[in-house]
Amino acid sequence: LDPEDMTPFAKERPQELAAYSVSDAVATYYLYMKYIHDFIFALCSIIPYNPDDVLRKGSGTLCESLLMDQAFRAQVLFPNKHIDADLEFHEGTNRLIENSSYEGARVECMRVGVYRADIKETFQLEPHAFQILIDDLK
């Protein structure tokens, strides 16, 4: 059904439009069950979120959760996630600060690509940096 015809159909032939809507909903349900439902279940088995959160979270949050879960299982030390204060007020005017992020900042990636276990990769570990993380644990 052409989207331009939906309003005239609703006025002139509502029963036919209703039947179209039901068949469209049934087709959508079957497509979801065939292609999406199992994929969501598979994601929930590796990412520690329920299905609603997996659908609503962004890919960056999902990757971060997966990495943190795997680091915890491997007993790898990682810093706590920074949580901002609920409300912040400007010291001079006592007005509420809605957004206190850095504008114009950028993230630079020194190397691009996917780092896998079967590709030899060397990391430079700084013992002093680990000690700082250990000292800052709350």
Side-chain angles (χ1 to χ4, degrees):
L1 181 63
D2 187 5
E4 297 291 328
D5 294 334
M6 286 188 165
T7 303
F9 266 58
K11 290 179 182 176
E12 300 162 6
R13 301 186 286 188
Q15 192 65 32
E16 191 175 340
L17 183 62
Y20 171 79
S21 296
V22 169
S23 66
D24 189 43
V26 170
T28 302
Y29 170 77
Y30 282 113
L31 286 172
Y32 167 81
M33 290 306 289
K34 183 172 184 177
Y35 295 107
I36 298 173
H37 183 74
D38 292 337
F39 179 69
I40 300 296
F41 179 76
L43 277 178
C44 291
S45 67
I46 61 171
I47 298 175
Y49 283 131
N50 62 39
D52 288 340
D53 286 337
V54 166
L55 289 170
R56 289 185 176 95
K57 302 278 185 192
S59 59
T61 303
L62 294 175
C63 287
E64 178 185 32
S65 298
L66 178 60
L67 288 172
M68 290 175 68
D69 181 59
Q70 293 299 313
F72 177 77
R73 290 178 191 211
Q75 298 181 347
V76 173
L77 181 68
F78 57 91
N80 294 331
K81 186 173 182 175
H82 176 72
I83 299 174
D84 291 330
D86 290 337
L87 295 175
E88 292 182 61
F89 294 91
H90 187 269
E91 291 177 14
T93 61
N94 205 27
R95 291 185 180 175
L96 178 66
I97 299 173
E98 292 182 33
N99 188 359
S100 62
S101 64
Y102 297 105
E103 291 189 23
R106 64 175 190 253
V107 176
E108 292 188 16
C109 181
M110 303 311 277
R111 299 181 63 188
V112 296
V114 177
Y115 304 105
R116 303 182 333 201
D118 60 340
I119 299 174
K120 188 173 193 281
E121 183 65 45
T122 57
F123 295 96
Q124 294 178 354
L125 304 178
E126 296 287 335
H128 179 68
F130 286 115
Q131 190 60 48
I132 291 173
L133 287 174
I134 292 169
D135 293 343
D136 286 345
L137 284 176
K138 295 179 183 177

